[in-house]
Amino acid sequence: MIRIGIVGASGYTGVELARLLCSCPDVKLKVATSRQYKGKKLADVYPSLAGMVDIVCEDLQMEKLAERADLFFTAVPHQTAMAIVPDLLRVGKKVVDLSADFRIHDAAVYEKWYQKHTAQEYLAKAIYGLPELHRQQIAAAQLVANPGCYPTSVILGVAPLLQAGVVEPETLIVDSKSGASGAGRLAQTGTLFCEVTEGFKAYKVAAHRHTPEMEQEISALCNKSVAISFTPHLLPMSRGILSTIYATMSKSMTDDEVYELYRNFYKNEPFVRLCEPGAFPATQFVRGSNYCDLGFKFDSRTGRIVVLAAIDNLVKGAAGQAVQNMNLMCGLPETRGLLGVPLFP
Amino acid sequence: MIRIGIVGASGYTGVELARLLCSCPDVKLKVATSRQYKGKKLADVYPSLAGMVDIVCEDLQMEKLAERADLFFTAVPHQTAMAIVPDLLRVGKKVVDLSADFRIHDAAVYEKWYQKHTAQEYLAKAIYGLPELHRQQIAAAQLVANPGCYPTSVILGVAPLLQAGVVEPETLIVDSKSGASGAGRLAQTGTLFCEVTEGFKAYKVAAHRHTPEMEQEISALCNKSVAISFTPHLLPMSRGILSTIYATMSKSMTDDEVYELYRNFYKNEPFVRLCEPGAFPATQFVRGSNYCDLGFKFDSRTGRIVVLAAIDNLVKGAAGQAVQNMNLMCGLPETRGLLGVPLFP
Amino acid sequence: MIRIGIVGASGYTGVELARLLCSCPDVKLKVATSRQYKGKKLADVYPSLAGMVDIVCEDLQMEKLAERADLFFTAVPHQTAMAIVPDLLRVGKKVVDLSADFRIHDAAVYEKWYQKHTAQEYLAKAIYGLPELHRQQIAAAQLVANPGCYPTSVILGVAPLLQAGVVEPETLIVDSKSGASGAGRLAQTGTLFCEVTEGFKAYKVAAHRHTPEMEQEISALCNKSVAISFTPHLLPMSRGILSTIYATMSKSMTDDEVYELYRNFYKNEPFVRLCEPGAFPATQFVRGSNYCDLGFKFDSRTGRIVVLAAIDNLVKGAAGQAVQNMNLMCGLPETRGLLGVPLFP
Amino acid sequence: MIRIGIVGASGYTGVELARLLCSCPDVKLKVATSRQYKGKKLADVYPSLAGMVDIVCEDLQMEKLAERADLFFTAVPHQTAMAIVPDLLRVGKKVVDLSADFRIHDAAVYEKWYQKHTAQEYLAKAIYGLPELHRQQIAAAQLVANPGCYPTSVILGVAPLLQAGVVEPETLIVDSKSGASGAGRLAQTGTLFCEVTEGFKAYKVAAHRHTPEMEQEISALCNKSVAISFTPHLLPMSRGILSTIYATMSKSMTDDEVYELYRNFYKNEPFVRLCEPGAFPATQFVRGSNYCDLGFKFDSRTGRIVVLAAIDNLVKGAAGQAVQNMNLMCGLPETRGLLGVPLFP
């Protein structure tokens, strides 16, 4: 039995980790930290967990924490993670970090988009935790940087095209839309029900911090440094991301040929589902699941391909992918605990 | 391996059955009928099922159907069910009928609220499939009438009070609210997104067909014939029922005493969760799960108790309870396939 | 031109007042106070107002305030209102107070449900601002206590029955459901989008502070002291209240007779619309308007009548009724600025 | 008093026209046709109109219709409109057609995207009803083709850039998102509440019929034939369109310079509001109003500008713009009846 700790258990990502771990027979949640709710049962914070999760939240105390679990999920904000993760690594723990702190290999890039990085010596050790691209390295890693929600959808959406060299990378435009759970559970006016419902808007236009993360992986896939346009939007719903991605094709292809390209690229992937030509993904069909559904359309009028990628931002975009990484790091079957059918309607 | 058939697989209850059965290792879905989608893969109708359910919808052909499965879920409208179920029973199949056709023991009552009953000889055989009240009979039954969604929440909500004789049954008032999935997937103006969102209304006031079903079980619990007031409402959401139930107490009790009464009544029940005094259930905390969450408050100012019961109408209110009944009828562990954690947020 | 001030302009009630006043040709918004947003244009806080409202929020400074407006809306929390309103009254200003502080005539009752009342000498001066019951007194008042949102729907729903003496008042049960805008714009976890959407729950069961307000007006209508059962619920939508009200009839009446009773009672009321027998109100059909839509059904099986009352909680339940009161107090046509058609879909 | 007829009054556009006309003192709705609801009061179909609109729906009978109104709104599907409009024009009526039938000047283009055009002789007479671009022609027109909802947002969004020649037109990519009311009130599975809520998807990717309409106006603005990429999406909300538009700048400009460009272009426009640099529009802030809110951001990293345009699809995207056109055609003040403040929250 592998003992698990969640640092930052009371956010939406934390509770989703707790939910998913209930379906993992090989692991046991032993530690859940939450400054805000210390001493309170996690199931009292989230009554959805009642009768299934009986752990009590505790304050983070590093010295005592480490010996009580073998692998830690750190589900805390960036900047906080870089202060905690090194201590866990030093005492030999495995860590899946869900913050942004170890995703960017280049400290200078990180510092340009975020703030000063105080644990740069661990950047080289961290593996970017997208199993579809880095499975073998993840399996051998002590520290996995769990990808951001938007980047997960985007990178999976364009990887086959970039690797095959059939699109012009510098024409990439990413228009992404996310449900409100991506903003977390912080009490703030902007994500109140009445501000979000029956409304839609863009935010952080051309300025969102997930941009360099996408550019890093995209640049690696096409072996050249690429800058992309990225616009995130806030959807009046709870879960789900749909990314609509535009790129100019460098060669003409039929939709069937593109489909074949994707099918080959993802043929052994348990969590990528392809829509057949003419069909497109929808976030409601991945709700609560670890799937990434992909569709596309080549527009011969403009020479552009449009790729559509749908995930549940809390699952494949966060907690589910983290469990997938945990499975790989611990030598467990990769899909363990992650085969729940999407909840529709 | 128990072979399962779903008659009427393409409605919301049908797809929810298909979803839940994926988690049941002892059974296998072998037949799915749908007039509207015959020849089409169920996963093409509901892309949520892609990669997990590969069954193709077929037209209902009784003669060939029976030998291909051992137990059938009939998820068709009332009046249709009574034409299908007897044929399945005659060839020895087990049936969980999700329509209203076999819920009412008294044919005259059925005919008053619905229409003529053409299979009355089976009414006496049918067991009302609420395991918390009729577990043993269900285990021995060939035909189980799966309860209505509203009645499930209401009967579970008031059973402890009625059995203990601490409320005046004739004062029962039931104010229920349901998500739109209860109206099914029929294309109709009234359940279009724009008609339902950001709106709330009552419907079939004092005239809903679930009334006699509740009265039957309530009357049995208190050994007298009781008429109740019942008002259903349509919520601008997809899943979930909350029933708010009012009754005058026949004796004064503290909230702690009432809690103890409920705790005793449900102490061995895997799918009933109690809120402690001062807390109340919410539909979002049972979403996607088979739980019924109960809370209550005694109001000494008026002498009335208010009981609150929350379920997911498609799970404990339909498909989940049907699987629970299947488990009982087939000698499987009652909770098999039903322990998924509610999806929140 | 009547000069208007809004104290507490940046809450949802404040912005709704600002919206409605744009349609009032006889008045002009001259002062808007907001501690949180002082120095900021109200239209920057609420971009919906851009191009139509150019007022800048300021801090509350009583001494300078009074001479700049003739009538004030105080849209601040209870307890804050009782500290501000007396100063405005003393310098001769008219006040429509949207808090609870001057609604309850009996200070002891107020103090039992709220907290200590420090301006009791003004309770006798305050008129309960429900024009359908107290129009003449409102027209002559200096201080009007604008009714709570739930009480508005409930009192309008039952007034004809109580005045005619055809129901037993002590059997009154009120089951109300409100959109999330009723909780205001305070940043708090409980009203975040993800906590509210796709969910439904009761709150403050048998303990909501609007109870004594309803009991005061109900008791006055039937000339006896009445205690009612009241359960508020939170709907996953922004605007709208539907109250479902149950009472035992003291005499048997047909639905047509009840309709006639209501029609007579409200025959000159511009903002009460009746559903014909068999039809019921829905909140989406009053959205954005000052209407209260009423429907009902007598249930001969139980001897109870069910009344349904729908309002927009921010309009007839708050800002719209406040403008209606302003019109009466200022000798303007009562419907001025309030005849916008409900926004559906 | 100008007498108005609505052909196709029972769809969402029809009821929105009826709502808006209530605020127009110079006109009077005299005729409302609806095949589905003939003989029924429009206010019974849409109870939101109760007490404000007392017109009865009637079947379309051209011969009797024409003499009862002076100006007609035809709110019927394309192909139906081209059969009705010519008859109205021949008897001298003014027509604002809300279908697509008279928007495309080139019959060949129309027939490529739609179907055969049987009233081509009227295409040259029809004025494309976007007042911000064609005000004078509209004022003199007998037939105005009211623009599509998506095109309205997109053309207003890019017109200043195209006219100034500062973007490369062939790089235009339009990613639009619309609320479900754009799909109309037809009973169909795809727009049922449960299919739309908590979900998001693209549809008609690179194949939507509004594409040629945008290309026509965009090409005219930049004096060259342009093909654009256009992807529409379905939002889980009722009203509102946000279009996110990408284009490569042909010269480098600061956000302040771009703002100045827009400000000049729209300085006399009553229904276009600009967000200052750093702010972006949101559909909830134009809800129920005739505004188009615009924002933008130049991304120096990629050399692209991102423009955001928000409208209410039923108002500026349909009925409101139609009333604006009516005002122009009838010599009334252009803003008459259209100055209602957006409804937020």
Side-chain angles (χ1 to χ4, degrees):
Chain A
M1 185 65 67
I2 298 159
R3 300 167 305 159
I4 303 295
I6 303 176
V7 179
S10 63
Y12 288 149
T13 303
V15 64
E16 187 70 355
L17 279 167
R19 178 180 79 88
L20 292 170
L21 293 175
C22 287
S23 304
C24 297
D26 313 291
V27 307
K28 175 76 184 160
L29 180 59
K30 303 295 277 187
V31 179
T33 80
S34 164
R35 192 162 33 188
Q36 190 178 0
Y37 295 108
K38 67 174 168 177
K40 200 165 179 179
K41 291 172 66 175
L42 189 58
D44 285 344
V45 183
Y46 290 101
S48 54
L49 303 178
M52 314 200 89
V53 174
D54 59 4
I55 205 159
V56 174
C57 297
E58 58 186 88
D59 220 344
L60 176 63
Q61 291 186 283
M62 291 304 296
E63 60 280 13
K64 297 181 184 166
L65 202 66
E67 64 201 31
R68 289 163 51 206
D70 307 304
L71 181 147
F72 285 86
F73 295 102
T74 44
V76 292
H78 64 87
Q79 205 169 358
T80 305
M82 67 173 76
I84 294 169
V85 167
D87 286 347
L88 293 168
L89 295 175
R90 271 192 287 269
V91 293
K93 301 300 159 181
K94 291 179 172 170
V95 175
V96 179
D97 177 40
L98 290 98
S99 87
D101 281 353
F102 299 95
R103 293 177 191 157
I104 310 285
H105 306 327
D106 183 337
V109 172
Y110 180 91
E111 296 193 341
K112 182 178 162 208
W113 289 83
Y114 291 88
Q115 76 295 306
K116 191 162 173 46
H117 201 300
T118 59
Q120 298 191 21
E121 64 274 30
Y122 292 93
L123 291 178
K125 287 182 65 110
I127 303 302
Y128 189 74
L130 195 64
E132 289 77 6
L133 294 187
H134 307 298
R135 182 169 283 115
Q136 286 187 314
Q137 291 167 280
I138 293 166
Q142 189 191 1
L143 170 59
V144 166
N146 212 58
C149 49
Y150 288 123
T152 294
S153 69
V154 173
I155 299 164
L156 291 177
V158 298
L161 298 173
L162 291 170
Q163 205 198 48
V166 297
V167 294
E168 298 172 12
E170 63 280 1
T171 65
L172 272 170
I173 291 177
V174 175
D175 193 281
S176 292
K177 303 86 177 176
S178 173
S181 62
R185 208 195 187 204
L186 190 67
Q188 50 188 355
T189 304
T191 47
L192 289 178
F193 183 84
C194 293
E195 306 286 318
V196 173
T197 190
E198 283 287 310
F200 184 68
K201 63 174 178 183
Y203 65 99
K204 294 186 188 162
V205 177
H208 193 281
R209 284 164 162 170
H210 282 176
T211 308
E213 186 182 334
M214 292 186 241
E215 290 178 347
Q216 167 180 289
E217 298 296 307
I218 285 170
S219 297
L221 280 161
C222 60
N223 283 315
K224 63 190 275 197
S225 178
V226 174
I228 64 166
S229 288
F230 173 56
T231 313
H233 302 73
L234 178 63
L235 286 163
M237 59 189 228
S238 183
R239 283 173 182 248
I241 282 177
L242 188 84
S243 290
T244 310
I245 309 166
Y246 302 86
T248 298
M249 298 289 284
S250 49
K251 56 174 281 193
S252 192
M253 294 177 78
T254 67
D255 279 351
D256 284 341
E257 288 168 338
V258 177
Y259 182 75
E260 204 50 36
L261 177 68
Y262 274 81
R263 219 175 55 84
N264 264 313
F265 193 91
Y266 288 124
K267 64 172 175 279
N268 295 318
E269 288 304 332
F271 295 120
V272 177
R273 301 190 298 194
L274 297 184
C275 299
E276 300 203 356
F280 302 104
T283 64
Q284 51 269 58
F285 296 132
V286 297
R287 185 161 52 217
S289 84
N290 202 47
Y291 285 117
C292 175
D293 282 3
L294 298 176
F296 57 85
K297 171 84 181 170
F298 175 63
D299 181 6
S300 60
R301 295 175 68 256
T302 61
R304 293 189 192 103
I305 191 165
V306 185
V307 179
L308 295 139
I311 60 170
D312 182 322
N313 57 301
L314 291 181
V315 191
K316 186 63 176 169
Q321 187 144 267
V323 169
Q324 191 179 353
N325 283 320
M326 172 196 80
N327 286 337
L328 288 168
M329 294 164 81
C330 297
L332 299 169
E334 186 174 342
T335 60
R336 190 63 61 83
L338 296 172
L339 294 177
V341 181
L343 191 72
F344 178 85
Chain B
M1 185 65 67
I2 298 160
R3 299 168 307 158
I4 303 295
I6 303 176
V7 179
S10 64
Y12 288 149
T13 304
V15 63
E16 187 70 354
L17 279 167
R19 178 179 80 87
L20 292 170
L21 292 175
C22 287
S23 305
C24 297
D26 314 290
V27 308
K28 173 78 184 157
L29 181 59
K30 303 294 278 187
V31 179
T33 81
S34 165
R35 191 162 36 186
Q36 189 179 359
Y37 295 109
K38 68 173 167 178
K40 199 165 180 179
K41 290 171 66 176
L42 189 58
D44 285 344
V45 184
Y46 291 100
S48 54
L49 302 178
M52 314 199 89
V53 174
D54 60 4
I55 205 157
V56 173
C57 296
E58 58 186 88
D59 219 344
L60 176 64
Q61 290 186 284
M62 290 304 297
E63 59 281 11
K64 297 183 183 164
L65 201 66
E67 64 200 31
R68 289 163 50 207
D70 308 303
L71 181 147
F72 286 87
F73 295 102
T74 44
V76 293
H78 64 88
Q79 205 169 359
T80 305
M82 67 172 77
I84 293 169
V85 168
D87 286 348
L88 293 168
L89 295 174
R90 271 192 288 271
V91 294
K93 302 299 160 185
K94 291 179 174 170
V95 175
V96 179
D97 178 40
L98 290 97
S99 87
D101 281 353
F102 299 95
R103 293 177 192 157
I104 310 284
H105 306 326
D106 184 336
V109 171
Y110 179 92
E111 296 193 340
K112 185 179 160 205
W113 288 83
Y114 292 87
Q115 77 295 306
K116 192 162 171 47
H117 202 299
T118 60
Q120 299 190 19
E121 63 274 30
Y122 292 93
L123 290 179
K125 288 183 65 112
I127 302 303
Y128 189 73
L130 195 64
E132 290 77 6
L133 293 187
H134 307 298
R135 182 168 283 117
Q136 286 185 315
Q137 291 167 280
I138 294 165
Q142 190 192 0
L143 171 59
V144 166
N146 212 58
C149 50
Y150 288 124
T152 294
S153 68
V154 172
I155 299 163
L156 291 177
V158 299
L161 298 173
L162 291 170
Q163 204 199 49
V166 297
V167 294
E168 298 173 13
E170 65 279 0
T171 64
L172 272 169
I173 291 177
V174 175
D175 193 281
S176 291
K177 303 89 178 173
S178 174
S181 63
R185 208 194 187 206
L186 190 67
Q188 50 188 354
T189 304
T191 47
L192 289 178
F193 182 83
C194 294
E195 305 285 319
V196 173
T197 190
E198 283 288 310
F200 184 68
K201 64 174 177 182
Y203 65 100
K204 293 186 189 163
V205 178
H208 193 280
R209 285 163 161 171
H210 283 176
T211 309
E213 186 182 334
M214 292 185 241
E215 290 178 346
Q216 167 181 288
E217 298 296 307
I218 285 169
S219 297
L221 280 161
C222 60
N223 283 314
K224 62 189 277 195
S225 179
V226 175
I228 64 165
S229 288
F230 174 55
T231 313
H233 301 73
L234 179 62
L235 286 164
M237 60 189 228
S238 184
R239 285 173 182 248
I241 282 178
L242 187 84
S243 290
T244 310
I245 309 165
Y246 301 85
T248 298
M249 298 288 284
S250 50
K251 56 175 283 192
S252 191
M253 294 177 77
T254 66
D255 280 352
D256 284 341
E257 288 168 338
V258 177
Y259 181 74
E260 203 52 34
L261 178 68
Y262 274 81
R263 219 174 55 85
N264 264 313
F265 193 92
Y266 288 124
K267 63 173 175 279
N268 296 318
E269 288 303 334
F271 295 121
V272 177
R273 300 190 298 195
L274 297 184
C275 299
E276 299 205 356
F280 303 104
T283 65
Q284 52 268 57
F285 296 132
V286 298
R287 185 161 52 215
S289 83
N290 202 46
Y291 286 115
C292 176
D293 283 2
L294 298 177
F296 57 86
K297 171 84 181 170
F298 175 63
D299 180 7
S300 59
R301 295 175 67 256
T302 62
R304 293 188 191 104
I305 191 166
V306 186
V307 179
L308 295 139
I311 61 169
D312 182 321
N313 58 302
L314 291 180
V315 191
K316 186 62 178 170
Q321 187 144 266
V323 170
Q324 190 179 355
N325 283 320
M326 173 196 80
N327 286 337
L328 288 167
M329 294 164 81
C330 297
L332 298 169
E334 186 174 342
T335 60
R336 190 63 61 87
L338 295 172
L339 293 178
V341 182
L343 192 72
F344 179 86
Chain C
M1 185 64 66
I2 298 160
R3 301 168 304 160
I4 303 294
I6 303 176
V7 179
S10 64
Y12 287 148
T13 303
V15 63
E16 187 70 356
L17 280 167
R19 178 180 80 88
L20 293 170
L21 293 174
C22 287
S23 304
C24 296
D26 314 290
V27 308
K28 174 78 184 159
L29 180 59
K30 303 294 277 188
V31 179
T33 80
S34 164
R35 193 162 34 186
Q36 190 180 358
Y37 295 108
K38 67 174 168 177
K40 200 165 179 178
K41 291 171 66 176
L42 189 58
D44 286 343
V45 184
Y46 291 100
S48 54
L49 303 178
M52 314 198 89
V53 175
D54 59 3
I55 204 158
V56 174
C57 296
E58 58 186 89
D59 219 345
L60 176 65
Q61 291 185 283
M62 291 306 296
E63 60 280 13
K64 298 181 184 167
L65 202 65
E67 64 200 31
R68 289 164 50 208
D70 308 303
L71 181 147
F72 286 87
F73 295 102
T74 44
V76 292
H78 64 88
Q79 205 169 358
T80 305
M82 66 173 77
I84 294 169
V85 168
D87 285 349
L88 294 167
L89 296 175
R90 271 192 288 270
V91 293
K93 302 300 161 182
K94 290 180 175 171
V95 176
V96 179
D97 177 40
L98 289 96
S99 85
D101 281 353
F102 299 95
R103 294 176 191 157
I104 309 285
H105 307 326
D106 183 336
V109 171
Y110 180 91
E111 296 193 341
K112 183 178 162 209
W113 289 84
Y114 291 87
Q115 76 295 306
K116 190 160 173 47
H117 201 301
T118 59
Q120 298 190 20
E121 64 273 30
Y122 292 93
L123 291 179
K125 288 182 66 112
I127 302 303
Y128 189 74
L130 196 63
E132 289 78 7
L133 295 188
H134 307 298
R135 180 169 284 116
Q136 287 187 314
Q137 291 167 280
I138 293 166
Q142 190 192 0
L143 169 59
V144 166
N146 212 57
C149 49
Y150 288 123
T152 294
S153 69
V154 172
I155 298 164
L156 292 176
V158 298
L161 298 174
L162 291 170
Q163 205 198 48
V166 297
V167 294
E168 299 172 12
E170 65 278 1
T171 65
L172 273 168
I173 291 178
V174 175
D175 192 282
S176 292
K177 302 87 177 175
S178 173
S181 62
R185 209 194 186 205
L186 190 67
Q188 50 187 356
T189 304
T191 46
L192 289 178
F193 183 83
C194 293
E195 307 284 319
V196 172
T197 190
E198 283 288 309
F200 184 68
K201 64 175 179 182
Y203 65 99
K204 293 187 189 163
V205 178
H208 193 282
R209 284 164 163 170
H210 283 176
T211 309
E213 186 182 335
M214 292 185 239
E215 290 178 347
Q216 167 181 289
E217 297 297 307
I218 286 170
S219 297
L221 280 160
C222 61
N223 283 314
K224 63 189 277 195
S225 177
V226 174
I228 65 165
S229 288
F230 174 56
T231 313
H233 301 73
L234 179 62
L235 285 164
M237 59 189 229
S238 183
R239 284 172 183 250
I241 282 178
L242 187 83
S243 290
T244 311
I245 309 165
Y246 301 86
T248 298
M249 297 287 285
S250 50
K251 57 175 281 194
S252 191
M253 295 177 78
T254 67
D255 280 352
D256 284 341
E257 289 168 338
V258 176
Y259 181 75
E260 203 51 35
L261 177 67
Y262 274 82
R263 220 175 53 85
N264 264 314
F265 193 92
Y266 288 124
K267 64 173 175 276
N268 295 319
E269 289 303 334
F271 295 120
V272 177
R273 300 190 297 194
L274 296 184
C275 299
E276 300 205 355
F280 302 104
T283 64
Q284 52 269 58
F285 297 131
V286 298
R287 185 162 50 218
S289 83
N290 201 47
Y291 285 116
C292 175
D293 282 4
L294 298 177
F296 57 86
K297 171 83 180 170
F298 175 63
D299 180 7
S300 61
R301 296 175 67 255
T302 61
R304 293 188 191 103
I305 192 166
V306 186
V307 180
L308 295 138
I311 60 169
D312 183 322
N313 57 301
L314 290 181
V315 191
K316 186 62 177 170
Q321 187 144 268
V323 170
Q324 191 179 353
N325 283 320
M326 172 196 81
N327 286 338
L328 288 168
M329 294 164 80
C330 297
L332 299 168
E334 185 174 342
T335 61
R336 189 64 60 85
L338 295 171
L339 293 178
V341 181
L343 191 72
F344 178 86
Chain D
M1 184 67 64
I2 298 160
R3 300 166 306 159
I4 303 295
I6 303 176
V7 179
S10 64
Y12 287 148
T13 303
V15 64
E16 187 70 355
L17 280 167
R19 178 180 79 88
L20 292 170
L21 293 175
C22 287
S23 306
C24 296
D26 313 291
V27 308
K28 174 78 184 158
L29 180 59
K30 302 295 276 187
V31 179
T33 81
S34 164
R35 192 162 36 186
Q36 189 180 0
Y37 296 108
K38 69 174 166 177
K40 200 165 180 178
K41 291 171 66 176
L42 189 58
D44 285 344
V45 184
Y46 291 100
S48 54
L49 303 177
M52 314 200 88
V53 175
D54 60 3
I55 205 158
V56 173
C57 296
E58 58 186 88
D59 220 345
L60 176 64
Q61 291 185 285
M62 290 305 296
E63 59 281 10
K64 298 181 184 166
L65 203 66
E67 63 200 32
R68 289 162 52 207
D70 309 304
L71 181 147
F72 286 86
F73 295 101
T74 44
V76 293
H78 63 88
Q79 206 169 359
T80 306
M82 66 174 75
I84 294 169
V85 167
D87 286 348
L88 293 168
L89 296 175
R90 271 190 289 270
V91 293
K93 302 300 160 182
K94 291 179 173 169
V95 176
V96 179
D97 178 40
L98 291 95
S99 88
D101 281 354
F102 299 95
R103 293 176 191 158
I104 310 284
H105 306 327
D106 184 336
V109 172
Y110 180 91
E111 296 193 341
K112 183 179 161 208
W113 288 84
Y114 292 87
Q115 77 295 304
K116 191 161 172 49
H117 201 300
T118 59
Q120 298 190 21
E121 63 274 30
Y122 293 92
L123 290 179
K125 288 183 65 112
I127 303 302
Y128 189 74
L130 195 64
E132 289 77 6
L133 294 187
H134 307 298
R135 181 169 283 115
Q136 287 187 314
Q137 292 166 279
I138 294 166
Q142 190 191 1
L143 169 59
V144 166
N146 212 57
C149 48
Y150 289 123
T152 295
S153 68
V154 173
I155 299 163
L156 292 177
V158 298
L161 298 174
L162 291 170
Q163 205 200 47
V166 296
V167 294
E168 299 171 13
E170 64 280 0
T171 64
L172 272 169
I173 291 178
V174 175
D175 192 282
S176 291
K177 303 88 178 175
S178 173
S181 62
R185 209 195 187 205
L186 190 67
Q188 51 188 355
T189 305
T191 46
L192 289 178
F193 182 84
C194 293
E195 306 285 320
V196 173
T197 190
E198 284 287 311
F200 184 68
K201 64 175 179 183
Y203 66 98
K204 294 186 188 163
V205 177
H208 193 281
R209 283 163 162 170
H210 283 176
T211 309
E213 186 182 335
M214 292 185 241
E215 289 178 347
Q216 167 181 288
E217 298 297 306
I218 285 170
S219 297
L221 280 160
C222 59
N223 283 315
K224 63 190 277 195
S225 179
V226 174
I228 64 165
S229 288
F230 174 55
T231 312
H233 301 73
L234 179 63
L235 286 164
M237 58 189 230
S238 184
R239 285 173 181 249
I241 281 179
L242 187 84
S243 289
T244 311
I245 309 165
Y246 301 86
T248 298
M249 297 289 284
S250 49
K251 57 175 280 193
S252 191
M253 294 177 78
T254 66
D255 280 351
D256 283 342
E257 288 167 338
V258 177
Y259 181 75
E260 203 51 34
L261 177 67
Y262 274 81
R263 219 175 56 86
N264 264 315
F265 193 93
Y266 288 124
K267 64 173 175 278
N268 295 318
E269 289 302 333
F271 296 120
V272 177
R273 300 190 297 194
L274 297 184
C275 299
E276 300 205 355
F280 303 104
T283 65
Q284 52 269 57
F285 295 132
V286 298
R287 184 161 53 216
S289 84
N290 201 47
Y291 285 115
C292 175
D293 283 2
L294 298 176
F296 58 85
K297 171 84 181 169
F298 174 63
D299 180 7
S300 60
R301 295 174 67 256
T302 62
R304 294 189 190 103
I305 191 167
V306 186
V307 179
L308 295 138
I311 60 170
D312 183 321
N313 58 301
L314 291 181
V315 191
K316 185 62 176 170
Q321 188 144 266
V323 170
Q324 191 180 353
N325 283 320
M326 172 196 82
N327 286 338
L328 288 167
M329 294 164 81
C330 297
L332 299 169
E334 186 174 343
T335 60
R336 190 64 59 86
L338 295 172
L339 294 177
V341 181
L343 192 71
F344 179 85

